[in-house]
Amino acid sequence: MLTLIQHWCEDGRRFARWCPASQAALQRLKPHLEQQLTGHLSARCAHLKGRGGVKGAVRYLDKLTDHYPFVARFDIRAYYESIDHAVLRAQLREARVDPLSQGLVQDYLALPDRRCSGKGMVAGGAISPLLGALYLTPLDKVMQALGHRLGIRYQRFMDDWVILAPSRHKLRAALTAMYAVLDDLKLEVHPDKRFIGRTTRGFDFLGYRFHPGRKLRPSQQGLDRLYERARRLHEQGADLDRLRQYVQRWFSWLHGGLRGRVSRHGRCQRIWIQVLRQLNRPSADTPHP
């Protein structure tokens, strides 16, 4: 039995603080649950340990983008808040998770749900990424089957995913199947974070901009996040040396693990100048990064 100390909402997401004994129980549950779910989770769900992470997902898509003329990219509107407890419990039973673990998961879902809505899951919790991976496994399975039948390719990172297709009608078939699965899971795609069209138009995923025949670049959303975080650091009193170090670390992360796949046009200096402009600071104020 888990014991909740505090529960709050921030930026539309639920967070919870458990008592020390409950925190320890959840840490013990995590590897046990991972072991029981191993055979049920897709290799194309990259956010889980051992499945490639952000950079593995980016490498996979970058390798394929030149060969598939059509693409669809989606994420879920308010994913954690939309997870239906009854659906998730049924998935745990189907995976034959032991009753004790199922009971702990039920507490993990229900205790922060003060309004008894039967929906929602806390963000940042020990087992949230694992449960988030499990909830969309019906989509993973359908996309895998369509990969064999229609030749599509699919990659997911939590509730963000990309479908690559060799033709328009095969993409339409994949989307029809996708929406049917999402209806069963009681989920909706985010209307402002989707793209359907030709890969030659370019598309964004996990902070990168993909375009056939070109190296990867940071997406505009990724750059906007960088600017926003730099602005917050600046407002908190960070000097230019600290800001420059932050930009350098971001630039290293951008290229790390991608073996020269990311464009170095303008290098770090260009990004640094853009950050200074966002802060209304002239570039002459500081040495080059």
Side-chain angles (χ1 to χ4, degrees):
M1 181 72 178
L2 298 178
T3 301
L4 185 67
I5 294 178
Q6 185 182 10
H7 166 244
W8 70 97
C9 291
E10 185 176 322
D11 295 328
R13 304 179 77 186
R14 299 183 194 180
F15 293 85
R17 186 160 65 92
W18 307 91
C19 75
S22 295
Q23 291 178 15
L26 289 170
Q27 290 298 330
R28 291 193 299 270
L29 173 63
K30 182 180 177 181
H32 185 58
L33 201 55
E34 285 176 341
Q35 184 178 16
Q36 294 183 80
L37 293 176
T38 295
H40 298 269
L41 300 174
S42 170
R44 297 268 58 87
C45 183
H47 76 273
L48 294 174
K49 183 178 179 181
R51 287 170 169 79
V54 169
K55 300 308 176 75
V58 170
R59 288 194 300 269
Y60 177 78
L61 289 177
D62 185 51
K63 182 172 62 176
L64 295 174
T65 300
D66 287 351
H67 307 291
Y68 288 83
F70 295 94
V71 62
R73 183 261 174 180
F74 300 93
D75 78 0
I76 295 297
R77 185 205 295 264
Y79 182 49
Y80 274 15
E81 284 300 298
S82 301
I83 287 177
D84 186 279
H85 299 175
V87 172
L88 185 55
R89 289 197 301 268
Q91 292 176 333
L92 291 168
R93 291 193 297 271
E94 183 180 352
R96 297 185 178 179
V97 171
D98 68 81
L100 178 59
S101 297
Q102 288 188 47
L104 288 172
V105 170
Q106 184 165 340
D107 284 351
Y108 185 80
L109 297 171
L111 289 176
D113 184 18
R114 296 290 176 83
R115 296 182 180 179
C116 299
S117 67
K119 285 190 172 185
M121 181 170 66
V122 296
I127 59 174
S128 290
L130 188 59
L131 297 177
L134 176 64
Y135 198 78
L136 275 170
T137 50
L139 177 65
D140 299 336
K141 291 176 181 177
V142 166
M143 292 299 115
Q144 182 179 7
L146 291 178
H148 295 309
R149 185 161 63 87
L150 301 179
I152 69 163
R153 293 294 179 265
Y154 165 81
Q155 179 67 65
R156 175 163 74 95
F157 191 97
M158 185 56 82
D159 64 322
D160 294 292
W161 67 89
V162 170
I163 303 169
L164 294 168
S167 67
R168 193 186 302 274
H169 81 272
K170 289 183 177 180
L171 181 61
R172 286 198 191 110
L175 296 183
T176 298
M178 180 196 82
Y179 281 114
V181 172
L182 296 183
D183 283 346
D184 290 342
L185 295 176
K186 306 176 184 180
L187 298 174
E188 296 180 5
V189 298
H190 197 298
D192 300 326
K193 297 181 180 179
R194 65 179 182 177
F195 173 78
I196 303 171
R198 289 187 173 272
T199 54
T200 51
R201 291 172 57 191
F203 65 95
D204 296 342
F205 188 61
L206 301 180
Y208 291 87
R209 182 73 175 171
F210 294 79
H211 198 289
R214 302 180 191 175
K215 287 193 172 186
L216 297 165
R217 294 177 181 268
S219 68
Q220 187 58 53
Q221 186 180 38
L223 289 171
D224 289 342
R225 283 197 295 264
L226 170 68
Y227 301 149
E228 178 60 28
R229 290 170 183 169
R231 186 179 298 110
R232 289 181 184 176
L233 285 173
H234 186 59
E235 291 171 352
Q236 292 165 6
D239 60 19
L240 291 178
D241 283 339
R242 184 180 173 194
L243 288 173
R244 186 172 63 249
Q245 290 170 8
Y246 174 71
V247 171
Q248 289 171 330
R249 288 195 299 271
W250 178 88
F251 191 79
S252 296
W253 175 87
L254 183 74
H255 290 267
L258 293 176
R259 304 168 189 154
R261 295 175 183 267
V262 184
S263 171
R264 288 187 175 270
H265 176 66
R267 298 186 179 272
C268 190
Q269 176 65 14
R270 182 183 181 190
I271 303 296
W272 173 236
I273 291 172
Q274 290 298 323
V275 168
L276 292 175
R277 287 175 178 168
Q278 292 290 321
L279 300 176
N280 295 317
R281 298 293 298 267
S283 58
D285 282 1
T286 183
H288 297 325

